[in-house]
């Protein structure tokens, strides 16, 4: 089975959105995806693209994707954030995730970044084992902090 890892094209954002939705279901947040295909096309393929997306293809069918973007660390400089890496459920266990992960790491190296970072759910033991096996450090002392749009509005109204 030949796995091809390539940069996604604008017209492939429908397939990417399907994979994002599948990931949300897997992560027990089936109603969390608010983004549209048009949002992805605008954000990823406009004048100043906000992300790069790689797709995994087998026989020209998109079976997985990894979406990344650059960040800046005050400690190390240019970094890549891996937002999502997902493989269609029926295609898992065939090396597709490995190929996407390697593609992201090679891209990061080619771009001269000092670090790649991402998040993983604490209950996703399979992913945690995979990441550790690749040499990644899973940090349990750092906590993700976020504020949604309603929280931002409440904060700004109050302060």
């Amino acid at each position: 089975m030949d796995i091809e890892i390539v940069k996604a094209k604008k017209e492939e954002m429908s397939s990417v959105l399907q994979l994002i939705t599948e990931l949300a279901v897997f992560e027990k947040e089936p109603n969390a995806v608010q983004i549209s295909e048009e949002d992805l096309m605008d954000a990823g393929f406009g004048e100043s693209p906000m992300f790069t997306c790689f797709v995994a293809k087998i026989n020209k069918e998109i079976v997985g994707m990894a979406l990344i973007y650059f960040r800046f660390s005050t400690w190390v400089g240019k970094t890549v954030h891996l937002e999502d890496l997902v493989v269609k459920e029926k295609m898992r266990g065939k090396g597709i995730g490995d190929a996407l992960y390697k593609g992201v790491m090679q891209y990061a190296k080619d771009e001269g970044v000092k670090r790649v970072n991402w998040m993983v759910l604490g209950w996703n033991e399979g992913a945690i084992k995979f990441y550790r096996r690749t040499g990644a450090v899973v940090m349990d002392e750092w906590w993700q902090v976020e504020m949604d749009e309603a929280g931002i509005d409440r904060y700004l109204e109050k302060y």
Side-chain angles (χ1 to χ4, degrees):
M1 170 175 55
D2 261 354
I3 303 167
E4 181 185 19
I5 306 297
V6 295
K7 282 188 180 178
K9 297 176 185 150
K10 186 175 186 176
E11 59 270 16
E12 295 172 323
M13 290 301 101
S14 175
S15 296
V16 168
L17 182 57
Q18 289 173 6
L19 286 161
I20 291 168
T21 302
E22 185 172 328
L23 179 61
V25 170
F26 173 77
E27 292 183 345
K28 302 174 185 168
E29 293 283 345
N31 300 314
V33 178
Q34 299 175 20
I35 199 162
S36 70
E37 180 180 343
E38 292 76 25
D39 292 332
L40 288 168
M41 289 189 291
D42 291 346
F45 299 90
E47 251 183 63
S48 299
M50 295 181 72
F51 65 82
T52 298
C53 184
F54 296 96
V55 291
K57 296 181 179 182
I58 296 178
N59 299 324
K60 298 184 182 182
E61 177 191 356
I62 294 175
V63 295
M65 71 90 178
L67 191 142
I68 64 171
Y69 54 88
F70 290 108
R71 291 173 51 175
F72 185 83
S73 165
T74 56
W75 290 3
V76 299
K78 185 177 179 182
T79 67
V80 163
H81 181 80
L82 171 58
E83 180 66 20
D84 284 332
L85 189 154
V86 61
V87 174
K88 284 186 179 182
E89 185 175 12
K90 68 178 183 172
M91 299 301 291
R92 293 181 189 151
K94 301 179 186 301
I96 298 163
D98 288 325
L100 280 164
Y101 185 81
K102 185 175 182 183
V104 166
M105 295 306 163
Q106 186 62 58
Y107 178 79
K109 182 171 179 52
D110 293 347
E111 289 291 325
V113 304
K114 303 296 183 190
R115 178 172 65 206
V116 178
N117 62 355
W118 61 96
M119 292 179 280
V120 62
L121 289 166
W123 56 259
N124 193 345
E125 293 177 19
I128 291 169
K129 285 179 187 174
F130 169 76
Y131 296 141
R132 284 188 171 137
R133 189 172 68 244
T134 68
V137 177
V138 179
M139 296 184 250
D140 58 4
E141 294 182 9
W142 288 79
W143 291 53
Q144 176 183 335
V145 179
E146 65 183 23
M147 189 178 295
D148 65 14
E149 186 177 19
I152 294 167
D153 290 342
R154 283 191 302 271
Y155 171 78
L156 292 174
E157 286 170 10
K158 188 173 183 180
Y159 299 100

